[in-house]
């Protein structure tokens, strides 16, 4: 077999691994919800029977309610057994596919061969790079101890902590900014370098008084420099 053909088989194994994870995950959610509805219905029926018979919460349940509680225990045991079986076969299937992938890699399978069959080389490399980036980020989050519900709960708790920290943060007293002495005069000297023809860099905006000051300086026989300083308000 050529490395390209082995690579195509390796890509199919990778897709099978993802499909197995999604499939067993969906089956686990459906199992939990189905058994949850069943146990809730049985427990609720037993409680209604006890209430109809006039049994107090601390008293012994009626025989029919006792039978329903026993059935509920059997259903709960079946739930745990089903979940254990799903977990076992999920692990077995995952490890089998993982071993098959490792064997294909050892045989020289070309990575991303199936992807390169449908798109250009540079596009395939970009997709593979993005896949590696996402995998490196999500791989530590995988595993039975980190269910999606736990991850969502952790994200919600983290958000609540950030919100609480933002609302209780003590705002420091804002002191007014202290500018150097005579900084405005320095600014006006700098603006005067634009000359009176350019209104001293519009340091005062479109001001009629700046034009009048420059004209008054020229009327007194001042040169361009003095007129520029007068236009800048120095």
């Amino acid at each position: 077999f050529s490395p390209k053909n082995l690579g195509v088989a390796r890509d199919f194994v990778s897709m099978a691994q993802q499909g197995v994870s999604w499939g067993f995950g969906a089956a686990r959610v459906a199992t939990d919800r189905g058994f949850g509805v069943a146990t809730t219905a049985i427990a609720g029926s037993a409680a209604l029977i006890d209430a109809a018979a006039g049994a107090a919460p601390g008293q012994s349940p009626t025989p029919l309610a006792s039978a329903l509680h026993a059935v509920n225990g059997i259903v709960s045991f079946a739930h745990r057994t089903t979940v254990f079986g799903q977990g076992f076969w999920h692990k077995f299937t995952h490890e089998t596919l993982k071993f098959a992938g490792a064997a294909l890699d050892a045989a020289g399978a070309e990575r991303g061969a199936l992807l390169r069959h449908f798109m250009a080389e540079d596009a395939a490399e970009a997709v593979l790079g993005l896949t590696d980036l996402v995998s490196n980020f999500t791989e530590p989050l995988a595993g039975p101890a980190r269910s999606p519900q736990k991850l969502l709960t952790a994200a919600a708790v983290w958000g609540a902590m950030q919100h609480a920290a933002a609302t209780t943060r003590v705002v420091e007293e804002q002191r007014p900014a202290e500018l150097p002495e005579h900084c405005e005069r320095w600014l006006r000297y700098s603006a005067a370098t634009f000359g009176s023809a350019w209104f001293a860099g519009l340091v005062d905006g479109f001001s009629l008084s700046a034009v009048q000051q420059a004209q008054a300086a020229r009327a007194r026989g001042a040169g361009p420099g003095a007129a520029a300083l007068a236009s800048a308000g120095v």
Side-chain angles (χ1 to χ4, degrees):
F1 295 98
S2 65
K4 185 175 182 180
N5 292 335
L6 293 175
V8 172
R10 180 66 178 89
D11 290 339
F12 274 114
V13 170
S14 299
M15 289 189 295
Q17 287 178 311
Q18 295 297 328
V20 165
S21 298
W22 294 339
F24 274 100
R28 176 64 184 273
V29 172
T31 299
D32 290 341
R33 292 191 177 182
F35 277 101
V37 171
T39 54
T40 301
I42 294 172
S45 300
L48 290 175
I49 291 174
D50 285 339
Q59 297 178 353
S60 300
T62 60
L64 182 56
S66 298
L68 288 178
H69 284 302
V71 172
N72 198 15
I74 296 174
V75 172
S76 299
F77 177 76
H79 182 199
R80 293 191 296 270
T81 304
T82 304
V83 170
F84 175 79
Q86 288 177 340
F88 172 79
W89 288 110
H90 182 199
K91 184 70 173 177
F92 177 80
T93 307
H94 177 75
E95 292 300 326
T96 302
L97 291 173
K98 184 177 179 181
F99 175 78
L104 289 170
D105 290 337
E110 180 182 343
R111 181 172 179 266
L114 184 62
L115 190 63
R116 292 186 178 91
H117 181 72
F118 293 101
M119 60 177 57
E121 182 74 18
D122 53 349
E125 290 296 333
V127 173
L128 291 174
L130 180 60
T131 303
D132 291 340
L133 179 64
V134 175
S135 298
N136 293 335
F137 177 77
T138 58
E139 187 175 356
L141 303 178
R146 303 177 181 88
S147 63
Q149 184 62 41
K150 290 183 178 180
L151 293 177
L152 290 175
T153 303
V157 171
W158 175 255
M161 293 172 59
Q162 296 298 314
H163 179 71
T167 55
T168 58
R169 185 180 302 160
V170 178
V171 180
E172 298 182 358
E173 182 181 357
Q174 298 291 334
R175 295 187 302 174
E178 297 181 359
L179 298 176
E181 188 178 3
H182 306 305
C183 63
E184 182 181 356
R185 187 174 180 84
W186 298 343
L187 175 64
R188 292 187 178 278
Y189 268 107
S190 301
T193 58
F194 286 91
S196 60
W198 290 97
F199 305 102
L202 297 176
V203 66
D204 288 320
F206 292 99
S207 175
L208 182 61
S209 62
V211 177
Q212 293 175 345
Q213 291 172 0
Q215 290 177 349
R218 291 192 192 94
R220 294 193 299 269
L229 290 173
S231 178
V234 177

